[in-house]
Amino acid sequence: MNRIPQLKTRATTAVLFVAVMLGALLWNRWTYFLLFSIIHFGCWFEFFRLAERYDAQHGKFPRLQQFLISVLGWSGLLLFCGPSFQIQAISMSALGNWLGLAFILVLPVSVFLFSSPWGFRSFLYVVFGWSYLSLPCAIMMHFYEDVQ
């Protein structure tokens, strides 16, 4: 069996992936921020897919709740941004603080409106997802300040 074409495709994809990753990491702070924001939302998308496949009863969240949970996690990423991440006079950290507060208040309302079967197990999925996905991305944002 000839696997050379498949190997070429994978090698080309890997080289392009490394080029995009290095470019985003090294270009400037906003490409770094954008890269980790995209990774963050992609990871949450995959997390919800896997949670639903693993536990159909407690791992299934309506799309609006998935969005709210992932933005709540992203607000944690914003919260860990250092002082160099500012738009005009607004720091990204302050924006993350207010965004997180707003989404903490909106999420229970969405659970009530959709009458989702949120139990302790569903809550644990969200806490695990935040600590496994959002927290590492937030720490990477904090590391950027230490490197610069």
Side-chain angles (χ1 to χ4, degrees), residues 1 3 27 60 93 99 105 118 120 130 141 146:
M1 204 186 263
R3 296 190 185 249
W27 188 281
K60 185 167 178 66
S93 183
L99 189 66
L105 297 174
W118 263 61
F120 186 67
W130 191 84
M141 293 306 300
D146 292 341

Side-chain angles (χ1 to χ4, degrees), residues 4-146:
I4 298 296
Q6 184 181 18
L7 179 64
K8 286 180 182 178
T9 303
R10 288 179 185 253
T12 304
T13 304
V15 167
L16 288 173
F17 179 75
V18 168
V20 168
M21 292 291 286
L22 283 176
L25 289 172
L26 301 175
W27 188 281
N28 64 27
R29 67 178 173 263
W30 294 110
T31 57
Y32 187 87
F33 173 76
L34 182 64
L35 174 69
F36 278 98
S37 293
I38 291 170
I39 289 171
H40 176 265
F41 282 110
C43 288
W44 271 107
F45 175 77
E46 188 65 23
F47 177 79
F48 285 123
R49 265 193 34 196
L50 290 173
E52 184 176 341
R53 187 177 295 167
Y54 176 73
D55 187 355
Q57 182 182 2
H58 298 284
K60 185 167 178 66
F61 297 91
R63 293 282 181 215
L64 177 63
Q65 289 176 5
Q66 290 179 10
F67 173 75
L68 293 173
I69 291 167
S70 60
V71 170
L72 184 60
W74 188 64
S75 70
L77 184 138
L78 292 175
L79 195 60
F80 276 67
C81 286
S84 69
F85 289 94
Q86 289 191 10
I87 299 174
Q88 300 295 328
I90 301 171
S91 75
M92 298 298 270
S93 183
L95 181 65
N97 192 16
W98 288 106
L99 189 66
L101 182 63
F103 278 81
I104 282 175
L105 297 174
V106 171
L107 186 60
V109 172
S110 76
V111 170
F112 177 74
L113 289 177
F114 284 107
S115 63
S116 299
W118 263 61
F120 186 67
R121 197 166 174 176
S122 298
F123 177 73
L124 285 179
Y125 276 119
V126 173
V127 170
F128 174 74
W130 191 84
S131 62
Y132 187 68
L133 303 172
S134 296
L135 189 59
C137 287
I139 291 170
M140 290 304 293
M141 293 306 300
H142 184 70
F143 283 159
Y144 183 83
E145 292 297 321
D146 292 341

